[in-house]
Amino acid sequence: MKRVLFASSRRCRGTPREERGAGKIAKWRQCLWTASLVSAFLLIGVSDRVVAQSHRPTAITIEQAVQEAIENNLSLLAERYNLSIAEAKMITARLRPNPVVSMGGDHLDWLGTGFNEQNGAGPPEYFIRTDFLIERGGKRRSRIEVAEQAREVARWQLLNATRTIVLEVQMAFVDVLLAKSNLALAEENLRLFNQIVQVNAARVNAGDLAPVELTRTRLAALQLQNAVMQAQSRLRLARQRLQGLMGRTVLSETFDVIGELRRDLVPVSLEVIEQQALNLRPDLQALKREQARALAEVRLQLAYGKADYSFGIEVRRQQGIAGKGNSIGVFFSLPLPIFNRNQGEIERARQELAQIEARLRALEADIRNEVRSAFQQCETARSLLTTIEADMLQQARQVLRTMEYSYRRGEASFVELLDAQRAFNDTMQSYNEARAEYARCLYLIDSISGKGLNQ
């Protein structure tokens, strides 16, 4: 793009003779047209990039929210680096020891002063030597095994972090749907009392109602208006929290969710859910891989307890007075493992293995308890939801309609209408909470059993 602009500017200058001639106006018209075309292309490219970066759906489903969180959640992005770090450690584990090259000189004449002749030393010697370390006990193989198991641990830990993020997004999505339901309930109550205020105002003007009754209904309407504002604030906070979990750094005021609260049936068998959890839970699988890594670490430390061989080759040259001589030397060394046989690290690795085995048993017990608690919680939420739908919801709505009709006809007092409205409001809020709690329990069971992440 810079080249295009530079070329257009060069064409705009022209020669002095052309600038003085009749083609000066045509030349400048061509330059203006070229600059306008380039500017248009620049604006189109910039606008396309801006639209592409800001193009996000304003209303999303729970599946879209989960997928966006998996791709963009900041904590999950940081967790993915553990897998890259484990891959880098695999490279280190596969490396072999480097050979060592040594060079030197001996019996050298000190700056040509005849130092060797005076001391009877010499002749001068020069050498180059290469040493190789030969590892024993399968150290490299054990290092690779430890690194492979550590990579598997990192992979399962990433899946477990994903499972946690998915559950948090699902819970936040349910909170947004619950806040929307509570806001709709508050707006419905406010609309009802606004209609009653209008009716009472007409009755006061007609002399059919005392002014104090109108004041009381207006006060009740103001209280319901405050309830609407609080419900709007809770909905705004729920939306912001969901966007944060989805990894959106710029929060949108037009963001919304679509969909219904989950209402499918709980799996009948508790044993099936428990078996799924023991087979699919990524944190349990990560701990099992950690156990395998600890076992490989024990074998590695046992291998480190075995001494390594050193094999070297040396070429030496002598600068004698009578002549020059060359020689080749071969060297072999083996440390004697008398005091240090890596006893401390071997014992440390064994104790870590025992600790991980204890953690594994504890996690299995915790998973069983979590499954039982979640299953009972789901059963309770489903029973409560069924009771509210079957016995309370229709009755509370019918009582409110009856009291509203009677109040407008002057057959019921305002206190009776307020009692009916509070009973209906409490029932509807309990109904919304029960629906949300049941949906949360279903998502919780999927997360505890590992079923949701597997899907």
Side-chain angles (χ1 to χ4, degrees):
M1 195 62 65
K2 290 181 179 180
R3 293 178 180 176
V4 174
L5 292 174
F6 180 69
S8 63
S9 64
R10 290 185 60 184
R11 288 196 298 269
C12 290
R13 287 196 296 268
T15 62
R17 182 174 298 176
E18 289 175 341
E19 292 178 356
R20 291 192 299 268
K24 181 178 179 180
I25 298 177
K27 187 68 175 180
W28 279 105
R29 285 179 180 175
Q30 182 182 2
C31 294
L32 290 175
W33 181 84
T34 304
S36 301
L37 184 62
V38 172
S39 301
F41 279 118
L42 285 174
L43 291 175
I44 291 173
V46 172
S47 61
D48 289 342
R49 287 194 296 270
V50 171
V51 170
Q53 292 176 1
S54 61
H55 182 68
R56 283 179 174 176
T58 56
I60 62 173
T61 62
I62 189 168
E63 291 81 9
Q64 293 173 335
V66 168
Q67 185 62 33
E68 187 172 340
I70 292 175
E71 295 174 356
N72 301 324
N73 184 271
L74 300 180
S75 300
L76 205 56
L77 291 177
E79 191 70 23
R80 287 193 179 99
Y81 282 101
N82 288 334
L83 194 57
S84 301
I85 294 172
E87 293 286 349
K89 291 182 179 179
M90 279 289 300
I91 299 175
T92 304
R94 293 191 181 100
L95 298 178
R96 299 179 183 274
N98 292 323
V100 179
V101 176
S102 305
M103 292 180 291
D106 196 7
H107 306 297
L108 302 179
D109 192 4
W110 182 253
L111 299 178
T113 59
F115 182 77
N116 290 343
E117 297 178 0
Q118 297 176 6
N119 292 276
E125 297 179 353
Y126 305 93
F127 70 90
I128 179 170
R129 173 176 172 174
T130 304
D131 293 283
F132 301 89
L133 181 66
I134 302 176
E135 292 183 317
R136 297 178 60 230
K139 293 184 177 65
R140 180 172 178 269
R141 182 178 64 251
S142 299
R143 286 197 305 268
I144 294 175
E145 184 181 3
V146 171
E148 288 176 348
Q149 295 298 335
R151 182 182 58 185
E152 289 298 309
V153 170
R155 187 173 69 86
W156 283 105
Q157 287 177 346
L158 176 60
L159 289 176
N160 188 57
T162 304
R163 178 184 70 93
T164 304
I165 292 298
V166 168
L167 180 60
E168 291 182 1
V169 171
Q170 291 169 343
M171 295 297 185
F173 196 94
V174 171
D175 291 339
V176 174
L177 292 178
L178 175 60
K180 291 179 66 175
S181 300
N182 290 335
L183 177 59
L185 175 61
E187 291 175 346
E188 181 183 355
N189 293 331
L190 179 60
R191 186 165 48 251
L192 169 64
F193 269 78
N194 284 335
Q195 294 174 359
I196 294 176
V197 168
Q198 294 176 0
V199 172
N200 286 348
R203 293 176 63 185
V204 169
N205 292 333
D208 190 30
L209 187 67
V212 66
E213 194 74 9
L214 176 60
T215 303
R216 295 173 65 184
T217 54
R218 285 177 175 172
L219 179 60
L222 289 175
Q223 292 176 346
L224 292 175
Q225 187 175 356
N226 294 334
V228 170
M229 295 175 62
Q230 293 176 356
Q232 290 174 346
S233 176
R234 285 191 289 268
L235 176 59
R236 190 180 304 109
L237 293 176
R239 287 172 174 170
Q240 291 176 357
R241 179 174 180 270
L242 178 57
Q243 291 183 78
L245 290 173
M246 292 166 56
R248 296 190 178 185
T249 55
V250 179
L251 303 183
S252 173
E253 294 295 333
T254 60
F255 174 80
D256 199 4
V257 300
I258 53 177
E260 298 294 332
L261 289 171
R262 189 175 171 184
R263 191 65 187 274
D264 49 297
L265 297 177
V266 183
V268 179
S269 176
L270 177 62
E271 290 74 15
V272 172
I273 302 176
E274 184 175 321
Q275 190 61 39
Q276 287 179 349
L278 295 176
N279 292 334
L280 302 178
R281 277 282 290 267
D283 53 346
L284 183 61
Q285 298 300 323
L287 199 54
K288 289 181 179 179
R289 296 303 185 279
E290 184 69 22
Q291 183 185 23
R293 188 208 62 79
L295 186 59
E297 178 73 17
V298 172
R299 291 193 289 267
L300 176 61
Q301 296 304 326
L302 288 172
Y304 279 148
K306 296 181 180 180
D308 298 330
Y309 300 142
S310 293
F311 176 77
I313 301 176
E314 179 185 271
V315 176
R316 184 176 293 269
R317 181 178 179 84
Q318 294 181 342
Q319 297 289 118
I321 299 176
K324 302 177 181 179
N326 298 322
S327 62
I328 297 177
V330 179
F331 303 90
F332 176 82
S333 64
L334 173 65
L336 298 178
I338 298 176
F339 304 107
N340 183 4
R341 297 185 299 276
N342 205 34
Q343 303 95 320
E345 289 299 312
I346 293 173
E347 183 63 22
R348 188 266 309 166
R350 287 173 175 170
Q351 294 301 323
E352 283 186 356
L353 177 61
Q355 183 186 43
I356 292 173
E357 291 174 350
R359 288 178 178 175
L360 187 60
R361 292 191 297 269
L363 182 58
E364 289 177 349
D366 291 340
I367 288 176
R368 292 188 177 92
N369 292 332
E370 289 178 5
V371 169
R372 295 190 185 96
S373 299
F375 188 83
Q376 294 176 0
Q377 185 178 354
C378 238
E379 288 292 328
T380 303
R382 184 176 63 85
S383 177
L384 179 60
L385 180 58
T386 304
T387 301
I388 294 176
E389 288 180 337
D391 301 333
M392 299 176 60
L393 196 60
Q394 187 63 29
Q395 295 181 12
R397 190 180 297 275
Q398 186 64 34
V399 169
L400 178 60
R401 291 176 179 175
T402 302
M403 285 294 112
E404 178 188 358
Y405 178 77
S406 301
Y407 179 77
R408 292 188 179 188
R409 292 175 57 89
E411 297 175 357
S413 65
F414 183 70
V415 174
E416 293 174 334
L417 177 62
L418 281 180
D419 289 340
Q421 189 272 334
R422 290 193 182 97
F424 172 76
N425 191 57
D426 293 341
T427 303
M428 286 300 300
Q429 286 185 350
S430 300
Y431 175 62
N432 292 337
E433 289 286 348
R435 292 171 58 211
E437 184 64 23
Y438 185 65
R440 292 191 191 100
C441 290
L442 293 176
Y443 289 124
L444 181 61
I445 284 183
D446 286 348
S447 179
I448 289 177
S449 64
K451 177 182 176 181
L453 186 61
N454 187 54
Q455 291 175 348

